[in-house]
């Protein structure tokens, strides 16, 4: 039976920590270490964590003397501390059913070739009330497949789903192999958001992906979450949806490692980079930054194909 390294990165989530930590300690799969990181919280997180660490020998606590400014720096710190190849990053504001870890470990046991296994997530509000399922997020791509468990080659998973949007929206639902995470170059610390998406893309280029349809994970959405901080206003909306920077990093990484994505993956990725350029240009135009706007709009209108679409959209706004 393998061991798992559970990493709980925390920043100012003292009010959510008891439920998060207890949901980890109550897992039916018991063979794990629990690494809790605190990124110099200003609430009473440290006291909460110390109380749990004193009660369970599986917990190791690593507080940071200063805030890192990035959840992905904490991801990398935790993975480097992890003693096991199977890693679960259990975000501090989420929680789960007692069967999450066992179900995902079983996927790895059944197919050692997979790089990551993840389960469906329920949507949860700040008060802890379930508000729906994340299955609706994938229904436009395939409204039947995600109703059942499946295992798929990583490149096929990227081609059908992951190149279009991040269909693995919450790290708390994922158990991945540290070896593939290392090969991916760890999480990209330069990205404020979407470094998780980039990580899943890189792992998918190396190995298969397994999915468990049962919603073992409860993904909490609240005003203080990382995504909420970067999803206010039109600029963040287009950035989060298309993110040309992240997509270009994925393309560059594949080239650097002599990996050759399916032609469809490359085509779709390039198209979304173009969307990001065009949307950024229109946003800059609305802000009156015309010299910055025109090059982005022109590039999106001719690359990867000559469509003139964003130039037409710009002219429509000028006429208004």
């Amino acid at each position: 039976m393998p061991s798992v390294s559970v990493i709980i990165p925390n920043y100012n989530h003292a009010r959510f920590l008891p439920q998060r930590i207890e949901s980890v300690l109550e897992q039916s799969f018991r063979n794990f270490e629990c690494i809790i990181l605190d990124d110099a919280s200003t609430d009473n997180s440290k006291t909460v964590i110390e109380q749990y660490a004193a009660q369970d020998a599986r917990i190791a606590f690593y507080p940071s003397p200063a805030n890192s400014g990035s959840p992905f720096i904490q991801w990398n710190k935790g993975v480097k501390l992890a003693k096991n190849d199977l890693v679960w990053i259990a975000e501090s504001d989420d929680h789960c059913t007692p069967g999450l870890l066992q179900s995902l470990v079983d996927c790895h046991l059944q197919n050692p070739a997979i790089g990551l296994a993840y389960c469906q997530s329920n949507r949860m509000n700040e008060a802890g009330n379930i508000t729906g399922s994340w299955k609706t997020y994938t229904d436009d791509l395939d409204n039947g497949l995600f109703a059942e468990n499946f295992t798929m080659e990583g490149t096929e998973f990227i081609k059908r789903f992951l190149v279009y949007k991040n269909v693995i929206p919450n790290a708390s639902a994922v158990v991945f192999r540290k070896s593939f995470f290392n090969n991916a170059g760890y999480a990209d610390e330069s990205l404020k958001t979407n470094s998780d998406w980039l990580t899943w893309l890189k792992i998918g280029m190396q190995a298969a992906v397994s999915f468990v349809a049962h919603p073992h994970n409860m993904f909490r959405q609240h005003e203080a979450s990382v995504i909420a901080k970067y999803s206010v206003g039109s600029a963040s909306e287009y950035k989060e949806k298309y993110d040309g920077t992240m997509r270009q990093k994925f393309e560059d990484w594949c080239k650097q490692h002599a990996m050759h994505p399916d032609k469809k993956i490359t085509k779709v990725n390039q198209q979304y980079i173009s969307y990001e350029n065009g949307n950024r240009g229109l946003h800059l135009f609305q802000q009156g930054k015309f010299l910055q706007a025109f090059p982005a709009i022109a590039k999106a209108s001719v690359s990867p194909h000559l469509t003139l679409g964003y130039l037409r959209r710009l002219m429509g706004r000028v006429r208004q």
Side-chain angles (χ1 to χ4, degrees):
M1 182 63 66
S3 296
V4 177
S5 292
V6 183
I7 300 164
I8 304 178
N10 174 72
Y11 177 66
N12 280 353
H13 285 159
R15 64 194 186 282
F16 304 133
L17 274 171
Q19 187 176 35
R20 167 78 283 177
I21 296 173
E22 287 170 17
S23 74
V24 170
L25 299 180
E26 292 170 358
Q27 288 297 296
S28 59
F29 182 90
R30 308 291 296 171
N31 195 18
F32 62 84
E33 64 168 344
C34 183
I35 299 166
I36 304 183
L37 310 174
D38 184 71
D39 203 12
S41 292
T42 56
D43 61 8
N44 66 325
S45 289
K46 186 176 179 181
T47 300
V48 174
I49 297 168
E50 287 174 339
Q51 289 173 347
Y52 279 97
Q55 298 170 14
D56 197 306
R58 292 173 296 179
I59 296 177
F61 179 34
Y62 297 89
S64 298
N67 183 261
S68 68
S70 166
F72 302 113
I73 291 175
Q74 296 301 297
W75 277 34
N76 291 341
K77 178 181 178 180
V79 173
K80 290 173 184 177
L81 290 167
K83 298 174 183 176
N84 305 296
D85 191 38
L86 291 181
V87 176
W88 173 27
I89 297 178
E91 302 283 7
S92 56
D93 50 349
D94 303 320
H95 73 93
C96 60
T97 71
L100 181 145
L101 199 50
Q102 184 68 66
S103 69
L104 299 182
V105 169
D106 283 346
C107 292
H108 285 278
L109 289 174
Q110 292 163 11
N111 188 347
I114 69 172
L116 67 84
Y118 78 107
C119 66
Q120 187 60 267
S121 296
N122 276 332
R123 300 175 187 270
M124 178 175 62
N125 63 19
E126 186 163 0
N129 300 315
I130 302 302
T131 59
S133 167
W134 274 87
K135 183 181 178 299
T136 57
Y137 188 63
T138 54
D139 281 347
D140 62 323
L141 299 175
D142 192 316
N143 63 5
L145 182 67
F146 289 91
E148 305 289 341
N149 299 351
F150 66 82
T151 296
M152 187 179 295
E153 286 299 318
T155 51
E156 182 69 11
F157 184 76
I158 293 171
K159 181 172 71 172
R160 292 179 60 179
F161 308 115
L162 201 55
V163 73
Y164 292 98
K165 59 184 177 182
N166 188 6
V167 295
I168 311 176
N170 187 216
S172 293
V174 181
V175 170
F176 60 82
R177 288 198 178 274
K178 180 179 179 178
S179 52
F180 291 116
F181 186 87
N182 292 349
N183 292 342
Y186 288 80
D188 191 313
E189 297 175 357
S190 68
L191 294 173
K192 295 294 185 181
T193 62
N194 286 345
S195 190
D196 55 340
W197 187 0
L198 179 59
T199 300
W200 312 145
L201 284 164
K202 290 178 179 179
I203 292 177
M205 288 298 298
Q206 304 174 64
V209 173
S210 283
F211 172 75
V212 173
H214 187 81
H216 287 290
N217 182 52
M218 312 302 156
F219 181 12
R220 193 187 308 267
Q221 297 174 288
H222 56 94
E223 293 181 356
S225 68
V226 173
I227 293 298
K229 292 177 182 177
Y230 294 101
S231 297
V232 178
S234 59
S236 294
E237 287 170 6
Y238 82 69
K239 175 72 172 175
E240 182 64 26
K241 185 172 183 180
Y242 302 111
D243 201 344
T245 302
M246 183 278 293
R247 290 178 177 278
Q248 189 61 56
K249 283 176 175 286
F250 171 58
E251 190 172 291
D252 293 344
W253 180 84
C254 288
K255 291 177 181 177
Q256 291 166 6
H257 293 80
M259 293 188 174
H260 306 287
D262 183 278
K263 290 181 180 179
K264 183 178 179 181
I265 294 174
T266 301
K267 180 180 178 181
V268 172
N269 199 54
Q270 283 292 325
Q271 187 63 65
Y272 273 81
I273 290 173
S274 178
Y275 292 153
E276 202 268 351
N277 282 327
N279 291 339
R280 176 166 49 85
L282 292 176
H283 177 72
L284 290 170
F285 182 83
Q286 288 178 323
Q287 292 183 315
K289 300 177 181 179
F290 305 121
L291 292 179
Q292 297 169 271
F294 287 125
I297 292 170
K299 186 175 182 180
S301 297
V302 301
S303 175
H305 306 291
L306 179 62
T307 64
L308 303 181
Y310 277 96
L311 282 174
R312 293 192 187 98
R313 290 175 63 180
L314 175 63
M315 294 307 297
R317 296 192 181 192
V318 170
R319 293 189 188 99
Q320 292 175 358

